[in-house]
């Protein structure tokens, strides 16, 4: 049974026209055009859409698609296969392990850190949060509130301090006190600003020079931004050696296809998805459940 975690109202709307058409008319040339339109409108991107359709058409030639029901079933199965089979575990092998969070302003990065910290603390793991976004006092304050709520420790510097030094201090502190995990916030750097991206690279280098090990670099993307989110991912991939993506706001206005685009075009796994404001609304990505939500 599908647990209704994914509330992809926009995604369902995008596919509803295609489903109604194919069920009433059957499979013909217009069906493939409508499916192509539906996928692109759902933010899957041209490259991902083309590859998926080529696979489906080959299977259709092999006789696996004889009616609309078979096509929909095959489409869902292929999407789930393409999205699944990836390692979603967040690596913790370090003394301490360091998780860096990157992304532009307004995507829910600090909130994501807070929710993850709460989850790790609940599982019995001590956590230090590093307030590496030193350009906005509000960011450190917000992270401090999450630290209190989660039962984690916060390391912050003065406003305008070198972000790398704050992250380094947090790692040193965690090492000295036996805390196994550091989660580091970073400024909401605009991916079009070269100097800010270079600073992010510096944070990554400095974080790896102390006793800790950078085991995760997670890009946080607002799922409702669609293809703009994919553009962000491309730029951050060049700079930050990403290990995974966290998609926030994957409900409401999010169409959902960005999940396919990120994983297919950049080969970066979507490890976590945010489905609401609650502390428990950050979940490991479930490919089968996600695809089912798109069509249900």
């Amino acid at each position: 049974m599908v647990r209704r975690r994914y509330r992809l109202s926009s995604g369902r709307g995008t596919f509803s026209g295609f489903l109604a058409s194919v069920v009433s008319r059957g499979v013909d040339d217009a069906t493939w055009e409508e499916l192509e339109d539906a996928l692109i409108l759902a933010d899957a991107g041209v490259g991902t859409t083309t590859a998926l359709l080529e696979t489906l058409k080959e299977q259709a030639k092999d006789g696996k698609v004889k009616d609309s029901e078979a096509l929909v079933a095959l489409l869902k199965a292929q999407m789930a296969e393409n999205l699944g089979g990836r390692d979603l575990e967040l690596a913790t092998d370090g003394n301490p392990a360091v998780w860096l969070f990157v992304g532009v302003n307004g995507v829910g990065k600090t909130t994501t850190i807070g929710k993850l910290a709460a989850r790790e603390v609940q599982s019995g793991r001590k956590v230090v949060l590093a307030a590496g976004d030193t350009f906005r006092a509000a960011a450190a304050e917000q992270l401090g509130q999450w630290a209190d709520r989660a039962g984690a420790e916060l390391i912050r510097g003065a406003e305008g301090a070198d972000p790398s030094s704050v992250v380094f201090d947090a790692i040193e502190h965690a090492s000295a006190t036996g805390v196994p995990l550091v989660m580091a916030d970073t400024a909401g750097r605009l991916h079009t600003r070269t100097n800010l991206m270079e600073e992010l690279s510096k944070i990554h280098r400095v974080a790896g020079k102390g006793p800790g090990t950078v085991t995760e670099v997670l890009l946080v993307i607002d799922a409702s931004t669609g293809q703009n989110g994919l553009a962000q991912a491309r730029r951050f991939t060049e700079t930050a050696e990403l290990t995974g993506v966290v998609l926030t706001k994957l409900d409401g206005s999010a169409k959902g296809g960005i999940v396919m685009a990120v994983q297919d075009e950049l080969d970066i796994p979507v490890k976590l998805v945010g489905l609401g404001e609650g502390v428990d609304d950050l979940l490991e990505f479930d490919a089968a459940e996600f695809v089912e939500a798109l069509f249900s």
Side-chain angles (χ1 to χ4, degrees), residues 11-246:
R12 289 198 301 273
T14 302
F15 281 99
S16 61
F18 163 72
L19 290 176
S21 177
V22 72
V23 168
S24 64
R25 191 186 62 243
V27 180
D28 56 20
D29 290 341
T31 300
W32 298 108
E33 293 180 5
E34 290 177 9
L35 177 54
E36 180 179 20
D37 290 343
L39 288 165
I40 291 175
L41 287 172
D43 289 328
V46 175
T48 299
T49 295
T50 299
L52 178 59
L53 287 178
E54 286 178 353
T55 299
L56 290 175
K57 287 178 179 178
E58 283 298 317
Q59 293 175 330
K61 288 180 181 178
D62 292 340
K64 295 181 180 180
V65 175
K66 297 180 179 179
D67 54 35
S68 59
E69 217 172 273
L71 175 60
V72 173
L74 193 61
L75 172 63
K76 290 164 68 173
Q78 190 61 52
M79 289 171 66
E81 180 181 333
N82 290 352
L83 291 170
R86 297 168 184 262
D87 183 7
L88 304 184
E89 185 176 353
L90 297 174
T92 57
D93 49 337
N95 292 302
V98 181
W99 297 351
L100 299 179
F101 294 79
V102 302
V104 301
N105 285 331
V107 295
K109 181 159 42 67
T110 304
T111 300
T112 295
I113 296 171
K115 290 178 180 180
L116 260 182
R119 188 181 80 173
E120 294 300 316
V121 170
Q122 288 172 6
S123 72
R125 183 177 287 117
K126 292 183 178 180
V127 178
V128 167
L129 303 184
D133 186 353
T134 61
F135 297 104
R136 294 189 306 121
E141 295 298 331
Q142 182 186 9
L143 194 63
Q145 292 172 1
W146 271 109
D148 292 339
R149 184 177 179 182
E153 190 173 359
L154 177 72
I155 300 296
R156 62 179 296 181
E159 186 175 352
D162 180 8
S164 299
S165 67
V166 176
V167 174
F168 186 83
D169 289 346
I171 296 170
E172 290 272 286
H173 176 77
S175 177
T177 56
V179 177
L181 178 60
V182 175
M183 297 186 190
D185 197 3
T186 62
R189 29 211 88 252
L190 301 171
H191 62 288
T192 53
R193 294 284 296 277
T194 302
N195 60 324
L196 293 178
M197 298 303 284
E198 288 175 349
E199 183 183 281
L200 181 58
S201 294
K202 178 184 175 183
I203 292 174
H204 191 287
R205 291 194 307 272
V206 171
K209 288 183 177 179
T213 303
V214 178
T215 61
E216 295 286 347
V217 182
L218 299 170
L219 172 63
V220 183
I221 300 176
D222 179 342
S224 67
T225 61
Q227 288 296 300
N228 186 50
L230 181 61
Q232 293 171 23
R234 287 194 186 101
R235 187 67 181 90
F236 278 100
T237 299
E238 297 169 3
T239 304
E241 301 176 21
L242 300 177
T243 60
V245 169
V246 181

